[in-house]
Amino acid sequence: MNTPETTRPRESTRAILQRGQSFRTRALPPLGQIQRSVDNIMSRWPDAVRTPEDRDREKLAQSMRLRVSEWNWENITTQRVISAAVAVFDKERCNRPDLLDVREFYFDEIATREPGAFLDGMVGVYLDSFTVGANHTRDLATALSARGNDLGGRHRKLITALPQVFTPDAAPRGLAQLMLETDDAYAKFQSIGLSSPHTSGLAKAAQKFFVKSLAPDLANTSARQKLFNWLTPQTGPVLQTGAGPAVEALLSVWRTKTPPDALRNELSEAIIAAWNDPRLHAGGIWSGFDPDLRAVLLRWLTHQDMKFFCNMVTATQNSHMWPPRRDFWLKLYDDKIIDEAWVAFGSEARRYAENNLLRGGKTDMNRRFARQLDRGGSTSLLIMRIGNKIVVDGCHSYKTHIFKIDDRNAPALYKRQYYCDDIMRASRNSKPHNSIQNWSQWVLQHV
């Protein structure tokens, strides 16, 4: 039997068109603002799980081992499970036999857990614990690669930029290539989801290839800037752990030649601003630094300190006797007779140097130079080591004093403050500058 619906005549296409029915579809709103909001959120809260402190890691790992063995999951959050994974897969525990079952638990969970915070957190564990040739890195990569389509937006962005991210043998070189293709590798990494680029194990592995590729070109401004953008980023902290080889590569360019004065000063100030003055600090990158390359930097700093002293005296002292003294000391440096130099500025000279001699805002006067405190700060000192002698010269009418280096009264280099009158009273070998010819001959005779 026919129903009303089956007997009602079908409306013609012409009649539909005559009713003026609209065929327009509603357009989607612009997505740019939404994407910017997402990026802002990811930038402000980059990681779902805070990396545990070293002192807490063993406790976390053992707690997870107990839970796996007893299969007890009461009162535990996903966040704590991932924090424990950071401990279990770090360099201290990634091969520990007693944690084998815990590692297997994580691999099983990666394979079966639904998309969400756990999977995304384990990608972070993989990236941070990445070690070339390590079994745990290969196992994590295999497990996560099978779940690539289930990862969140942050990591899909990384996979798009670095398709070989879960291929451990290829990932470091691939990431290094991304570093070479951009002017600012640190900002690039942040944009593809590596929120803390310097701490990532994968980024550390990539850095070796990055520095090796840049090394032959570091005499060029663009290559140096690319390296410094990674080592001392504007949007992040200075790289400390692992920076030594990069600074060595930077100095290696000048192992057998000397850069122009302006470049030499720029490089030495940038290096000591980021990693401290090796004359004052033995730790950090300097503890295992190539001694020959360290000597290159020390020679630069010796020259720079002498120039600072000479430029300050030239600008502030109107004496016909100063220019030949200046030329004498600089010639001894050029002849490689002066081994080390250190400046102690008086207060007046310190203000002048800060206002007129320093450029670029990278020099911290309080760390870079010593203070001379006698005579109301009117006298500045140039303290040099020449072989086994300590030589102290001063501005204005201050005499030149020469000490044997093993003399207990000899002023040591690289102290934070000096008293020029104490040095004068302790000296048993000094000479005024009233006859430059006699004075210079005296210096050469006694050093």
Side-chain angles (χ1 to χ4, degrees), residues 367-438:
R367 298 169 58 192
R368 184 66 175 79
F369 303 105
R371 294 177 181 272
Q372 194 295 114
L373 300 176
D374 273 338
R375 304 186 183 185
S378 62
T379 298
S380 295
L381 302 177
L382 176 63
I383 305 156
M384 297 164 280
R385 181 178 69 82
I386 300 177
N388 63 352
K389 304 291 175 59
I390 297 294
V391 181
V392 183
D393 199 23
C395 63
H396 305 301
S397 60
Y398 192 78
K399 294 179 181 180
T400 301
H401 303 272
I402 300 178
F403 299 80
K404 291 182 179 179
I405 202 167
D406 57 359
D407 184 340
R408 63 186 182 87
N409 293 317
L413 274 76
Y414 312 129
K415 291 170 61 178
R416 302 312 308 166
Q417 58 188 34
Y418 295 85
Y419 296 86
C420 66
D421 289 346
D422 286 351
I423 293 173
M424 179 185 65
R425 285 189 287 267
S427 172
R428 290 177 290 182
N429 194 14
S430 62
K431 184 78 173 175
H433 314 99
N434 47 18
S435 170
I436 294 297
Q437 182 176 0
N438 291 339

Side-chain angles (χ1 to χ4, degrees), residues 91-363:
K91 63 181 180 181
E92 302 297 330
R93 300 166 185 82
C94 62
N95 291 318
R96 285 246 302 262
D98 63 314
L99 296 174
L100 176 61
D101 289 344
V102 184
R103 291 192 292 273
E104 291 298 330
F105 161 79
Y106 280 108
F107 300 140
D108 290 342
E109 288 295 298
I110 291 172
T112 59
R113 185 73 71 93
E114 64 184 18
F118 175 80
L119 275 182
D120 291 342
M122 290 306 297
V123 176
V125 172
Y126 165 73
L127 296 173
D128 288 345
S129 68
F130 186 100
T131 305
V132 174
N135 291 333
H136 80 278
T137 294
R138 295 187 182 280
D139 292 340
L140 283 171
T142 299
L144 290 166
S145 178
R147 300 297 305 275
N149 293 332
D150 296 324
L151 300 178
R154 182 193 310 281
H155 300 308
R156 285 201 300 272
K157 188 185 296 187
L158 175 61
I159 293 171
T160 300
L162 185 66
Q164 62 270 55
V165 64
F166 295 127
T167 307
D169 291 339
R173 287 184 182 274
L175 195 58
Q177 188 59 40
L178 287 180
M179 299 174 79
L180 293 167
E181 291 171 356
T182 183
D183 290 332
D184 190 339
Y186 193 91
K188 176 67 174 180
F189 281 12
Q190 289 181 316
S191 74
I192 63 174
L194 291 171
S195 55
S196 300
H198 285 167
T199 64
S200 162
L202 177 56
K204 291 175 183 177
Q207 179 185 298
K208 295 180 181 180
F209 296 107
F210 172 64
V211 172
K212 185 177 180 179
S213 297
L214 276 184
D217 300 320
L218 287 174
N220 301 324
T221 302
S222 59
R224 284 197 307 274
Q225 189 58 55
K226 185 175 291 192
L227 181 62
F228 274 113
N229 285 344
W230 168 251
L231 298 175
T232 60
Q234 293 184 355
T235 57
V238 171
L239 176 65
Q240 296 296 338
T241 304
V247 179
E248 287 178 341
L250 188 66
L251 292 172
S252 288
V253 179
W254 312 106
R255 191 188 291 268
T256 59
K257 57 184 178 180
T258 302
D261 277 1
L263 177 57
R264 175 168 46 182
N265 294 347
E266 176 188 330
L267 290 175
S268 58
E269 290 300 317
I271 289 170
I272 65 176
W275 299 286
N276 293 316
D277 189 329
R279 301 171 299 183
L280 305 176
H281 299 270
I285 71 169
W286 305 117
S287 60
F289 208 81
D290 182 318
D292 291 336
L293 294 174
R294 184 178 180 275
V296 169
L297 179 59
L298 292 182
R299 182 161 174 76
W300 290 3
L301 292 172
T302 296
H303 176 269
Q304 190 168 348
D305 282 358
M306 293 185 66
K307 291 285 285 190
F308 270 128
F309 180 83
C310 291
N311 289 343
M312 180 278 299
V313 177
T314 298
T316 59
Q317 180 177 326
N318 184 17
S319 169
H320 69 281
M321 298 177 66
W322 167 245
R325 283 172 57 202
R326 174 197 61 204
D327 295 344
F328 173 78
W329 291 127
L330 293 178
K331 185 177 187 304
L332 289 191
Y333 171 83
D334 290 337
D335 291 343
K336 299 184 178 180
I337 293 174
I338 297 176
D339 299 297
E340 300 177 77
W342 184 238
V343 172
F345 277 133
S347 54
E348 295 176 4
R350 193 180 190 85
R351 284 192 294 271
Y352 178 86
E354 193 164 19
N355 293 331
N356 297 280
L357 300 181
L358 304 181
R359 296 290 184 267
K362 292 184 178 179
T363 302

